[in-house]
Amino acid sequence: MASSSDATSSAGSTPEPSEESESGSIPESPEGAERRGRVRLRRAAVMAVPATAVAAGLMILTAQGALGVQFAISGMPFTVTATNLDGEGFAQFGGLDQMAPGSPNEGDTGGQVLVVVSAIKKATLTKLCQSVDLGGTNLLIRAGEGSQKVSAVNLTTDSTELSGDASFDNIEIGNDASTLDKSHAQGPKGVFSQQADTVHIGNLRQTNYATTAAVFKLPGLKLSFSDKGC
């Protein structure tokens, strides 16, 4: 509110700013405080959730988070399926991905998405399908449906859902993510993780927010629009 001296100033004077707190900052609105509280709650959830590994379904939840990708995600999830995934050098830990500031997809999350980061040093996939819902239609990508498989080097996926029939060779569960040495990626110190020499997942299905790879080869690539996703 303006002071009494402002009320008696000349008509052409500039109004003083709203009343500030003793610390000098403008009091935060209840809506802003509630939103910041939700963002902090999500960060706390990443630090508090215990981790578990499931042989059929392959789900990992982590004790603390780490950024899985180094770019701002769109916030639009996409589906990835494959009849088989085979990988050498496997690691997995939890993370938080961040949307671009002011993204229309952030909702009440503050633009943050809790994800499972899966890293595979060398991977092959059979009958890969990827689809993203654009609102009434799906952008559909297919590859590796012939004799040649999709292949990737230093493949990293940030997922909110992952299912399939999984098997591992020489698996280690409960590693500190900063000590991972079987794949190309490590997490921060104190983060629960797992790693294995090899991984096989049949009937793979993922809901992803980001995918990166040093090399990604897609033989028989087909891109189309469809009323159905993968």
Side-chain angles (χ1 to χ4, degrees), residues 63-138:
Q64 187 177 339
L67 287 177
V69 294
Q70 300 302 316
F71 56 83
I73 62 171
S74 70
M76 297 178 66
F78 54 96
T79 299
V80 174
T81 65
T83 55
N84 287 292
L85 178 150
D86 291 284
E88 299 178 11
F90 170 79
Q92 198 168 57
F93 51 91
L96 280 171
D97 284 351
Q98 182 71 49
M99 300 179 202
S103 170
N105 299 318
E106 69 179 18
D108 62 355
T109 67
Q112 293 179 330
V113 180
L114 179 65
V115 296
V116 177
V117 181
S118 301
I120 303 176
K121 200 168 187 178
K122 295 180 180 180
T124 59
L125 300 98
T126 305
K127 294 184 178 180
L128 174 71
C129 178
Q130 177 179 300
S131 63
V132 57
D133 188 348
L134 301 178
T137 189
N138 291 273

Side-chain angles (χ1 to χ4, degrees), residues 46-59:
V46 180
M47 300 177 66
V49 176
T52 183
V54 183
L58 187 61
M59 250 337 232

Side-chain angles (χ1 to χ4, degrees), residues 147-228:
S147 59
Q148 290 183 294
K149 298 179 180 180
V150 171
S151 63
V153 176
N154 292 353
L155 175 67
T156 305
T157 59
D158 291 13
S159 312
T160 53
E161 294 182 19
L162 193 161
S163 64
D165 302 311
S167 61
F168 306 90
D169 287 334
N170 297 323
I171 190 169
E172 301 171 1
I173 301 174
N175 307 62
D176 187 294
S178 68
T179 67
L180 295 173
D181 58 6
K182 294 189 176 185
S183 189
H184 62 282
Q186 293 181 331
K189 188 175 291 186
V191 175
F192 187 102
S193 66
Q194 71 170 5
Q195 65 176 355
D197 288 345
T198 67
V199 58
H200 169 81
I201 306 177
N203 301 314
L204 171 70
R205 187 173 189 88
Q206 293 178 301
T207 300
N208 292 348
Y209 277 84
T211 297
T212 62
V215 178
F216 208 6
K217 296 182 179 180
L218 301 166
L221 175 65
K222 299 177 183 176
L223 187 151
S224 63
F225 291 98
S226 173
D227 57 353
K228 294 182 179 181

